[in-house]
């Protein structure tokens, strides 16, 4: 059973930075495309970023491009999300997810999910 545990969320002022981490266990990490999604109260869960299994190919949502960077360390079974210049509209619960398929911006492509970490950005 794959387990994903996120950490690194918190409260930050607008313009600040946070780095989220997600550690995977119970699996061979480099078999999975990894992604980050977020969900704000009353809204659908939305795509943030995804990274391929080994060559580091990345995609980000338009809303975060140039501010957020996804990366992974397969030796440490960890995926990261570096978030810079955070804005109040970035406030949400951030979820790590793993895909055995191609991975994409579609949450239906992801097989496993963490429980999330809260990010709150004050204005």
């Amino acid at each position: 059973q794959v387990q994903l545990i996120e950490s690194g969320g918190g409260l930050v002022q607008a313009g600040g930075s946070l780095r989220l981490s997600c550690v995977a266990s119970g699996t061979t990490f480099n078999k999975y495309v990894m992604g980050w999604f977020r969900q704000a109260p009353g809204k659908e869960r939305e795509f943030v970023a995804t990274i391929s299994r080994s060559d580091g190919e990345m995609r980000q949502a338009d809303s975060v491009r140039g501010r957020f960077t996804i990366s992974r360390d397969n030796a440490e079974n960890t995926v990261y999300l570096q978030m810079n210049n955070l804005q109040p509209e970035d406030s949400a619960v951030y979820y790590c997810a793993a895909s055995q398929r191609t991975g994409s911006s579609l949450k239906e492509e992801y097989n496993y999910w963490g429980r999330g970490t809260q990010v709150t950005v004050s204005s």
Side-chain angles (χ1 to χ4, degrees):
Q1 183 69 20
V2 179
Q3 287 191 318
L4 303 173
I5 301 177
E6 304 96 334
S7 62
L11 173 64
V12 64
Q13 288 188 330
S17 298
L18 285 173
R19 188 193 197 201
L20 305 184
S21 300
C22 171
V23 179
S25 61
T27 187
T28 303
F29 183 64
N30 62 12
K31 290 169 53 178
Y32 297 89
V33 173
M34 299 301 296
W36 286 97
F37 290 75
R38 67 186 181 186
Q39 188 167 17
K43 294 189 176 182
E44 293 286 321
R45 190 170 299 189
E46 66 174 7
F47 168 73
V48 175
T50 185
I51 188 166
S52 63
R53 290 172 176 83
S54 59
D55 65 6
E57 181 179 355
M58 297 176 286
R59 286 201 298 161
Q60 297 115 327
D62 290 343
S63 58
V64 306
R65 188 169 292 114
R67 301 188 298 124
F68 291 12
T69 303
I70 187 172
S71 61
R72 67 190 293 165
D73 184 338
N74 286 343
E76 297 293 331
N77 287 4
T78 303
V79 62
Y80 303 97
L81 186 68
Q82 177 67 45
M83 306 186 294
N84 297 328
N85 191 22
L86 283 158
Q87 300 300 315
E89 54 267 32
D90 296 316
S91 297
V93 177
Y94 282 71
Y95 297 91
C96 169
S99 172
Q100 293 176 299
R101 292 173 280 191
T102 60
S104 70
S105 61
L106 299 176
K107 54 184 181 291
E108 292 78 12
E109 286 289 309
Y110 292 81
N111 308 95
Y112 303 101
W113 293 83
R115 293 189 174 184
T117 185
Q118 176 72 47
V119 171
T120 303
V121 185
S122 63
S123 58

